[in-house]
């Protein structure tokens, strides 16, 4: 008969951390969240590390180029989604690597023949008040003018006025050439007391915009993750079907690390993919694999040469693999077992293979629990999908702002490469849903708050680093009654004003 585990599998919500002794110098500002991304030998430094233990998921609704740049600024890595053409994914990677810090490619653009109503609709969609007016309405068209909030008064206009009639025309703008340095651009902004500076090429085509408001934020990105060429670090998803064509294109585009995007990683498909990469690139191309939920799966992928291993099946908020197939394991239990396997592998071989916890995060403190249970870093989908930088639309539903969020196994994504087991290319049944998540604003603000909670909790456990946290952490299972006790109870909550 089938092997049956004697203990049930558990989720993060069933655990709490027991605080330990904290010295007076154990304060959040002194906590380091630096963590390895790829495997390394005992006594050596990993070829790639992150300054924060967060990566964004390999999903259409999460990880585009804007997300990659924003997360790299904070010290993490985005894995650009693979469920698109090889050319499009490679182009996204190239744009991230070519991104000039402080130089923004305009995503609010309009033709001069548009109307004020079009401006208002665009502002509602993007949240940006500065709109570039170009001859073709694109980010690289010939710049004809700029529309800012000071250029119109909604209460005194009809809405049908042409943009050309109220924009600040090109000849009234302060502009600079596209070879202007960031320091020079900021000097011009301060000298002329303007809020934005368009940079144009010799033909007058818009290339970038430098914003006054970004000046301080650029100085604040102390954790930004850069490669040897001072470009942002970016990851890319691959699949086990077209890797012979996709991997070379992504490597050529500059991807710093790859990850096989699959719902289940304990397969020969992953071994064949890893074998092909190692045969052609050796260890120069870094690639993670997964997902697994037990020590056998980890050992298999580690022996196959994976640079890191992802843990988790069916725990994502939009994943219905467990519901559809009855496959998976509680994320906490899976992570604890795989972390033990990683440590055993390190003791035996002297090779440390980092593990990435993928799925099961509902509340911020679950991130800290995952790190205490042994995760070197986490991959998050729903968390990042809520932010301005995710590639989906922001909508207003029932009076509240939301963002679209769908799984790679959903009918919308139709990512058959991720779930294919051979045979017909069509998606036979869905393993992900199409949904909305509450809009949460900018990545920077939210990640800053989340990580402050993580650092604060490490201090409660007497730890100033993630390795020290794993060494000192004490975890306790909680009962259903104590879960209720942990929230507000037996009180009447005051309603807070939304003003």
């Amino acid at each position: 008969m089938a092997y049956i585990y004697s203990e049930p599998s558990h989720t993060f919500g069933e655990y709490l951390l027991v605080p330990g002794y904290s010295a007076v110098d154990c304060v959040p500002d002194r906590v380091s969240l630096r963590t390895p991304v790829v495997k390394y030998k005992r006594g050596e430094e990993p070829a790639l590390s992150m300054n924060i233990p967060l990566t964004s998921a390999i999903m259409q609704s999460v990880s585009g180029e804007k997300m990659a740049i924003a997360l790299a600024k904070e010290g993490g890595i985005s894995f650009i989604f693979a469920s698109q053409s090889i050319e499009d994914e490679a182009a996204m990677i190239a744009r991230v690597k070519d991104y000039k810090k402080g130089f923004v490619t305009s995503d609010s653009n309009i033709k001069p023949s548009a109307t004020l109503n079009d401006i208002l609709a665009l502002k509602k969609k993007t949240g940006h008040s500065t709109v570039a007016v170009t001859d073709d309405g694109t980010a690289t068209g010939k710049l004809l003018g700029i529309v800012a909030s000071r250029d119109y008064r909604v209460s005194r206009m009809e809405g049908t006025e042409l943009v050309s009639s109220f924009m600040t025309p090109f000849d009234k703008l302060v502009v600079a050439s596209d070879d202007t340095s960031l320091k020079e651009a900021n000097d011009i902004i301060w000298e002329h007391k303007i809020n934005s500076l368009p940079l144009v090429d010799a033909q007058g085509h818009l290339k970038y915009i430098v914003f006054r408001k970004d000046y301080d934020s650029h100085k604040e990105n102390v954790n930004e993750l850069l490669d040897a060429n001072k470009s942002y670090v970016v990851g890319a998803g691959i699949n086990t079907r077209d890797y012979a064509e996709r991997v070379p294109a992504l490597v050529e585009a500059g991807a710093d690390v790859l990850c096989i995007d699959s719902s289940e990683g304990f397969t020969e498909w992953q071994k064949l993919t890893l074998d092909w990469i190692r045969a052609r690139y050796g260890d120069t191309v870094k690639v993670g694999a997964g997902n697994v939920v037990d020590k056998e799966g980890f050992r298999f992928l580690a022996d196959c040469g994976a640079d890191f291993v992802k843990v988790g099946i069916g725990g994502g908020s939009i994943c219905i693999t467990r519901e559809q197939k009855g496959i998976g394991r509680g994320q906490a239990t899976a992570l604890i077992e795989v972390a033990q396997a990683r440590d055993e592998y390190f003791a035996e071989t002297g090779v440390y293979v980092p593990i990435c916890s993928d799925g099961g995060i509902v509340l911020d403190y679950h991130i800290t629990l995952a790190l205490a249970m042994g995760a070197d870093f986490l991959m998050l989908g729903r968390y990042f999908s809520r932010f301005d930088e995710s590639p989906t639309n922001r909508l207003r539903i029932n009076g509240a702002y939301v963002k679209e969020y769908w799984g790679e196994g959903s009918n919308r994504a139709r990512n058959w490469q991720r779930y294919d087991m051979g045979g017909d290319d069509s998606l036979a049944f869905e393993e992900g849903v199409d949904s909305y998540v509450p809009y949460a604003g900018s990545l920077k603000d939210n990640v800053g708050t989340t990580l402050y909670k993580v650092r604060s909790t490490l201090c409660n456990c007497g730890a100033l680093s993630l390795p020290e946290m794993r060494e000192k952490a004490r975890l306790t299972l909680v009962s259903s009654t104590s879960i209720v006790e942990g929230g507000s109870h037996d009180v009447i909550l005051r309603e807070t004003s939304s003003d």
Side-chain angles (χ1 to χ4, degrees):
M1 62 176 289
Y3 177 80
I4 301 176
Y5 289 88
S6 58
E7 293 292 327
S9 63
H10 297 287
T11 65
F12 294 130
E14 296 175 78
Y15 284 90
L16 287 175
L17 281 157
V18 177
Y21 172 75
S22 300
V24 293
D25 62 347
C26 196
V27 292
D29 287 347
R30 297 191 67 241
V31 172
S32 170
L33 297 179
R34 188 167 175 81
T35 191
V37 178
V38 298
K39 66 183 178 183
Y40 60 93
K41 294 180 180 178
R42 182 182 284 111
E44 298 181 355
E45 288 294 316
L48 179 61
S49 296
M50 288 188 294
N51 294 324
I52 63 172
L54 303 180
T55 65
S56 66
I58 312 170
M59 300 174 68
Q60 293 175 14
S61 57
V62 178
S63 295
E65 60 201 83
K66 287 181 64 177
M67 179 65 68
I69 292 167
L71 187 51
K73 286 180 179 180
E74 300 307 310
I77 297 176
S78 279
F79 284 85
I80 302 294
F81 65 93
S83 51
Q84 58 180 321
S85 73
I86 295 172
E87 295 75 17
D88 287 347
E89 186 179 10
M92 279 192 177
I93 295 293
R95 287 193 291 270
V96 175
K97 301 305 288 187
D98 291 341
Y99 179 81
K100 297 167 68 177
K101 288 181 293 180
F103 293 79
V104 177
T105 300
S106 177
D107 63 356
S108 295
N109 311 287
I110 207 161
K111 292 181 179 180
S113 57
T115 66
L116 173 60
N117 286 333
D118 295 322
I119 289 285
L120 298 177
L122 185 59
K123 181 179 179 181
K124 183 177 180 181
K125 178 181 178 182
T126 65
H128 300 153
S129 58
T130 300
V131 179
V133 184
T134 59
D135 60 348
D136 59 3
T138 70
T140 57
K142 187 172 183 178
L143 183 63
L144 302 178
I146 291 287
V147 173
S149 55
R150 66 174 181 272
D151 292 317
Y152 56 86
R153 296 284 293 274
V154 176
S155 61
R156 298 184 181 184
M157 297 171 71
E158 296 294 328
T160 57
E161 294 86 353
L162 295 180
V163 168
S164 58
S165 69
F166 61 86
M167 70 182 185
T168 302
F170 183 85
D171 59 4
K172 297 287 184 65
L173 294 174
V174 177
V175 300
S177 65
D178 59 343
D179 60 358
T180 302
S181 71
L182 182 57
K183 183 181 184 306
E184 291 170 336
N186 281 317
D187 287 343
I188 294 171
I189 287 174
W190 286 100
E191 178 184 349
H192 292 274
K193 299 180 180 180
I194 53 179
N195 292 321
S196 62
L197 177 68
L199 303 185
V200 298
D201 63 17
Q203 289 73 45
H205 291 90
L206 179 63
K207 303 298 289 185
Y208 307 103
I209 301 178
V210 178
F211 289 94
R212 181 191 186 104
K213 64 181 176 60
D214 289 338
Y215 176 76
D216 289 333
S217 66
H218 293 313
K219 297 182 68 175
E220 293 171 1
N221 294 327
V222 295
N223 285 323
E224 62 183 0
L225 196 60
L226 305 173
D227 64 16
N229 297 317
K230 304 300 183 184
S231 295
Y232 285 126
V233 172
V234 60
I238 61 173
N239 59 67
T240 59
R241 310 302 287 178
D242 64 7
Y243 52 83
E245 295 79 34
R246 190 173 293 267
V247 170
L250 299 179
V251 171
E252 177 66 23
D256 296 279
V257 58
L258 308 177
C259 184
I260 302 173
D261 183 31
S262 175
S263 62
E264 208 275 298
F266 196 179
T267 72
E268 188 175 7
W269 296 113
Q270 299 228 352
K271 181 180 187 303
L272 293 172
T273 304
L274 291 167
D275 286 348
W276 187 91
I277 292 173
R278 294 293 173 240
R280 282 154 182 79
Y281 296 99
D283 288 328
T284 61
V285 170
K286 306 303 181 183
V287 55
N291 287 18
V292 299
V293 293
D294 59 13
K295 61 183 179 181
E296 290 84 6
F298 170 85
R299 172 70 68 151
F300 171 77
L301 291 177
D303 288 342
C304 287
D307 282 293
F308 66 85
V309 173
K310 282 207 296 155
V311 181
I313 295 177
S317 60
I318 42 69
C319 183
I320 54 173
T321 295
R322 297 180 193 174
E323 180 181 312
Q324 293 280 52
K325 298 168 65 175
I327 293 290
R329 199 176 194 187
Q331 186 68 10
T333 299
L335 182 57
I336 290 169
E337 180 172 320
V338 173
Q340 291 172 342
R342 175 205 55 204
D343 294 345
E344 292 170 0
Y345 190 84
F346 182 49
E348 290 176 27
T349 67
V351 177
Y352 187 91
V353 181
I355 57 175
C356 169
S357 180
D358 180 15
I361 301 298
V362 180
L363 303 171
D364 282 353
Y365 83 89
H366 294 166
I367 294 174
T368 317
L369 287 174
L371 295 169
M373 291 173 182
D376 293 281
F377 58 97
L378 291 83
M379 181 170 281
L380 305 172
R382 182 197 61 84
Y383 178 87
F384 286 113
S385 70
R386 304 171 300 148
F387 303 152
D388 290 320
E389 295 82 1
S390 71
T392 62
N393 295 317
R394 186 181 72 168
L395 308 172
R396 189 173 179 88
I397 296 180
N398 296 328
Y401 283 109
V402 298
K403 293 207 75 175
E404 297 176 295
Y405 180 46
W406 61 90
E408 288 299 291
S410 68
N411 195 54
R412 188 200 292 220
R414 300 205 61 78
N415 184 4
W416 67 267
Q417 296 100 327
R418 189 178 202 268
Y419 296 86
D420 179 48
M421 298 293 287
D424 190 351
D425 289 352
S426 65
L427 209 61
F429 57 89
E430 295 183 53
E431 293 188 47
V433 299
D434 206 326
S435 64
Y436 302 110
V437 291
Y439 168 68
S442 73
L443 179 147
K444 184 177 183 65
D445 292 342
N446 284 276
V447 166
T449 300
T450 294
L451 293 182
Y452 191 84
K453 294 178 186 178
V454 173
R455 291 186 176 97
S456 180
T457 306
L458 260 67
C459 290
N460 292 141
C461 297
L464 289 173
S465 69
L466 296 181
E468 188 178 12
M469 173 66 164
R470 289 193 288 271
E471 183 180 309
K472 292 184 174 180
R474 295 180 297 160
L475 292 155
T476 180
L477 275 168
V478 295
S479 68
S480 58
T481 304
S482 64
I483 292 174
V484 174
E485 180 186 58
S488 59
H489 59 90
D490 302 316
V491 295
I492 300 172
L493 295 179
R494 294 177 60 182
E495 290 188 11
T496 55
S497 173
S498 59
D499 295 337

